[in-house]
Amino acid sequence: MDMKHVKDYISWLYFQYLLITCSYVLEPWEQSMFHTITVTVFAMVVYTAYVFVPIHVRLAFEFFSQIFGGQPESTV
């Protein structure tokens, strides 16, 4: 890929982000606060999903395997 094409595509995505969130009408300091909060919330959601989703999937798998006749774990 051409680097100019990639740069144009990223700038187009950023422009779409500004349009969708209507943050292009904010002042520069308001934009920086908005972007900081947005990135922080997104990072917390990704971290929470990374940490807790596998645990819940494992617990759900164990629960449904017991319901549908899975072998109980040995207590020895």
Side-chain angles (χ1 to χ4, degrees):
M1 276 187 135
D2 186 21
M3 290 305 290
K4 183 176 181 338
H5 180 68
V6 172
K7 182 180 174 186
D8 290 341
Y9 182 67
I10 290 174
S11 66
W12 179 78
L13 285 176
Y14 180 69
F15 183 67
Q16 293 297 314
Y17 164 74
L18 290 177
L19 288 175
I20 290 171
T21 59
C22 296
S23 61
Y24 63 92
V25 297
L26 300 174
E27 292 185 18
W29 69 272
E30 293 172 328
Q31 275 187 352
S32 65
M33 291 298 292
F34 178 77
H35 296 320
T36 302
I37 292 169
T38 303
V39 167
T40 303
V41 168
F42 181 74
M44 288 189 298
V45 167
V46 168
Y47 174 76
T48 302
Y50 177 75
V51 170
F52 292 110
V53 167
I55 295 168
H56 284 71
V57 168
R58 182 182 55 83
L59 290 175
F61 178 72
E62 289 176 5
F63 175 75
F64 286 116
S65 67
Q66 288 177 359
I67 288 178
F68 295 118
Q71 297 294 328
E73 293 185 15
S74 176
T75 58
V76 176

